[in-house]
């Protein structure tokens, strides 16, 4: 299931644009389905990775639910046809307006992150005469060994509550009339490529479950978050993430109680590999030492390299040269961080060639901005 670029079709499009390999997305969704079949597992796609409407609809048709982090995402998910009972709503700063929107939509569950938030949900639910199902986000203090901006499971963090606070929070929550505590929620970080942190997470969850039981609270949902990483270096060798190994960890290590469900919130692992940012070469500029490829796409269209020092594989998809040259590949934005790659070995590249920045399906299109008053790129689909 490698991505083959239909050059003729792509050459007719105005660059830059996102190209989505829909067959790969479907194959990825099928793999998830086959790995979770027969288990009490529910996978909620993390909408923040990519909220493109065709992508959302394809994920909805495959039967997944959604994990939303804003009222806008809840609304987009309802629009894309997701059953309200397949929508969960997380986030540290849910506003009254967003909470009301989610209560009105009758979503499956709120993932609450603090006591003041709990008070707000309780009051707003009370005003509507309803009871809101809530899971608590707990920091399990597991180091995901990933980039500091995307490590979220350590105890001192703006996200979630600390494990030590859980008994207190649970006793406050269970006393609230319009809150129904249904579960615990964890999310330890993103782009986690070693499976060991997930194993540690299972151990922590097992310990916490025993503690919570002692407090007499019954949990229906164990939400283990997302974070499974993908192969940015070899997108064609590994187009589909290691879902089997990932789900097997939970099958083998997580001790579930009768009737419990495990919820997963995968974002990147579902959509990253199906997307590429296609850009055309505006200029090739010779410096004294370096040669620069200046593309018509910039950090406004794919911000991960500038924001997280991430690297996306770069391919020249139209050059037929067998000779290679070392280039720095940079965008046109007036910021020095607008660089997609230094010392890239590429075939001899000319003005007008098309480059593909691979694995751009997650945190690409959705993070695009109009900085420098640029147009937002459109999307093109393989089918
Ligand atoms: C971002 C996020 C996810 C998805 O993370 P991925 O690394 O894209 O899988 C899941 N849950 C929560 C709470 C998140 O913030």
């Amino acid at each position: 299931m490698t991505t083959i670029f239909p050059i003729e079709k792509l050459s007719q499009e105005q660059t830059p644009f996102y190209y989505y390999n829909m067959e790969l997305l479907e194959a990825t969704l099928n793999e998830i389905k086959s790995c979770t079949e027969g288990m009490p597992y529910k996978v909620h796609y993390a909408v923040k990775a990519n909220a493109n409407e065709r992508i959302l609809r394809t994920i909805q048709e495959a039967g997944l639910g959604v994990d939303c982090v804003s009222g806008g995402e809840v609304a987009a998910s309802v629009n894309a046809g997701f059953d309200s009972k397949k929508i969960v709503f997380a986030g540290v700063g849910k506003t009254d307006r967003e909470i009301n929107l989610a209560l009105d939509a009758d979503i499956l569950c709120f993932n609450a992150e603090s006591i003041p938030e709990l008070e707000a949900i309780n009051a707003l639910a009370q005003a509507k005469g309803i009871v809101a199902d809530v899971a608590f986000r707990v920091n399990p203090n597991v180091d995901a060994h990933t980039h500091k901006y995307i490590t979220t499971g350590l105890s001192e963090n703006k996200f979630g509550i600390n494990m030590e606070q859980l008994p207190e929070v649970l006793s406050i929550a269970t006393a609230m009339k319009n809150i129904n505590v249904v579960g615990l929620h964890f999310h330890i970080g993103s782009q986690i490529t070693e499976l060991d942190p997930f194993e540690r997470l299972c151990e922590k969850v097992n310990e916490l479950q025993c503690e919570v039981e002692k407090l007499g609270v019954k949990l229906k949902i164990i939400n283990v978050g997302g974070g499974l990483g993908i192969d940015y270096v070899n997108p064609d060798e590994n187009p589909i993430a290691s879902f089997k190994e990932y789900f097997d960890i939970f099958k083998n290590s997580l001790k579930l109680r009768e009737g419990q469900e495990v919820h997963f919130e995968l974002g990147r692992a579902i959509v990253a590999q199906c997307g590429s940012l296609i850009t055309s070469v505006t200029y090739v500029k010779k410096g004294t030492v370096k040669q620069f490829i200046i593309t018509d796409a910039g950090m406004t269209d794919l911000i991960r390299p500038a924001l997280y020092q991430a690297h996306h594989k770069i391919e020249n998809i139209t050059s037929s040269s067998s000779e290679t040259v070392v280039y720095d590949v940079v965008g046109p934005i007036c910021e020095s961080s607008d660089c997609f790659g230094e010392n890239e070995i590429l075939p001899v590249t000319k003005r007008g060639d098309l480059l593909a920045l691979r694995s751009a399906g997650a945190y690409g299109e959705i993070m695009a901005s109009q900085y420098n008053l640029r147009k937002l790129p459109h999307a093109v689909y393989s089918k």
Side-chain angles (χ1 to χ4, degrees):
M1 187 52 70
T2 57
T3 295
I4 296 152
F5 294 98
I7 302 300
E8 224 166 278
K9 169 174 160 164
L10 300 187
S11 302
Q12 284 152 26
E13 299 286 341
Q14 168 88 50
T15 53
F17 59 89
Y18 304 101
Y19 174 67
Y20 293 109
N21 177 346
M22 300 306 278
E23 288 86 356
L24 176 54
L25 176 59
E26 287 167 2
T28 305
L29 292 164
N30 277 336
E31 173 72 4
I32 292 173
K33 201 183 257 178
S34 84
C35 292
T36 52
E37 228 148 46
M39 297 300 294
Y41 290 0
K42 287 188 179 169
V43 180
H44 294 126
Y45 165 63
V47 177
K48 75 171 195 266
N50 189 326
N52 171 300
E53 205 177 320
R54 279 269 319 260
I55 303 261
L56 278 187
R57 285 202 179 270
T58 305
I59 293 171
Q60 184 270 325
E61 281 159 16
L64 272 67
V66 277
D67 164 45
C68 299
V69 291
S70 73
E73 288 187 0
V74 173
S77 301
V78 171
N79 252 342
F82 285 92
D83 182 334
S84 66
K85 288 300 176 195
K86 286 188 173 181
I87 300 177
V88 302
F89 184 16
V92 283
K94 301 178 192 77
T95 63
D96 288 10
R97 201 193 176 101
E98 290 176 310
I99 294 169
N100 276 326
L101 187 149
L103 288 171
D104 292 340
D106 193 24
I107 63 163
L108 173 64
C109 154
F110 288 84
N111 289 330
E113 310 215 10
S114 67
I115 294 172
E117 179 192 336
L118 206 59
E119 287 164 349
I121 298 173
N122 187 49
L124 295 168
Q126 187 177 19
K128 292 180 187 294
I130 54 178
V131 174
D133 284 343
V134 171
F136 280 110
R137 178 162 177 178
V138 178
N139 289 322
N141 218 352
V142 170
D143 190 348
H145 305 297
T146 181
H147 191 278
K148 66 174 188 295
Y149 289 175
I150 48 178
T151 296
T152 55
L154 293 171
S155 69
E156 202 58 11
N157 210 300
K158 79 167 179 179
F159 300 105
I161 56 168
N162 298 345
M163 285 197 293
E164 307 77 55
Q165 292 176 296
L166 186 61
E168 184 202 343
V169 172
L170 281 177
S171 81
I172 294 172
T174 46
M176 288 181 177
K177 291 204 168 52
N178 298 79
I179 295 286
N180 179 32
V181 177
V182 293
L184 293 183
H185 171 222
F186 308 87
H187 175 68
I188 57 174
S190 202
Q191 183 52 17
I192 301 168
T193 48
E194 305 158 49
L195 291 174
D196 191 58
F198 294 115
E199 185 105 43
R200 301 281 89 74
L201 172 62
C202 289
E203 289 162 11
K204 284 283 164 73
V205 174
N206 292 340
E207 286 168 25
L208 268 183
Q209 284 241 64
C210 294
E211 278 185 42
V212 170
E213 258 166 0
K214 280 186 213 142
L215 301 168
V217 179
K218 271 216 174 329
L219 302 172
K220 190 176 152 237
I221 297 168
I222 300 296
N223 182 335
V224 294
L228 177 63
I230 60 127
D231 190 343
Y232 281 100
V233 181
N234 302 301
D236 288 321
E237 287 78 352
N238 297 306
I240 298 180
S242 330
F243 290 112
K244 183 165 184 334
E245 290 78 1
Y246 171 76
F247 286 112
D248 277 350
I249 292 213
F250 296 93
K251 286 181 196 171
N252 297 331
S253 306
L254 200 57
K255 293 190 190 119
L256 294 181
R257 309 297 189 260
E258 184 80 32
Q260 273 183 341
E261 289 175 357
V262 186
H263 292 188
F264 297 88
E265 303 171 334
L266 298 167
R268 187 191 315 268
I270 297 176
V271 292
Q273 298 292 31
C274 76
S276 297
L277 173 63
I278 309 295
T279 176
S280 121
V281 175
T282 310
Y283 299 111
V284 178
K285 170 173 158 177
K286 282 194 167 77
T288 45
V289 200
K290 287 188 172 232
Q291 288 208 52
F292 294 93
I293 290 175
I294 301 164
T295 59
D296 63 358
M299 61 190 281
T300 49
D301 314 307
L302 181 64
I303 204 173
R304 297 189 66 258
L307 194 59
Y308 309 122
Q309 295 92 47
H311 184 261
H312 288 256
K313 185 176 179 194
I314 303 172
E315 270 173 51
N316 185 325
I317 57 173
T318 51
S319 172
S320 50
S321 174
S322 53
E323 217 182 299
T324 60
V325 179
V326 178
Y327 297 103
D328 278 12
V329 181
V330 301
I333 315 292
C334 307
E335 297 279 343
S336 357
S337 57
D338 186 28
C339 173
F340 290 124
E342 284 178 273
N343 303 318
E344 297 280 335
I345 301 165
L346 291 169
V348 174
T349 296
K350 310 181 303 299
R351 172 173 163 84
D353 282 357
L354 290 182
L355 305 187
L357 287 130
R358 304 293 307 274
S359 319
Y363 309 107
E365 182 174 1
I366 195 69
M367 292 180 100
S369 83
Q370 289 193 286
Y371 181 47
N372 282 194
L373 218 52
R374 288 162 56 80
K375 244 178 84 185
L376 290 175
H378 67 297
V380 175
Y381 307 88
S382 62
K383 64 168 188 186

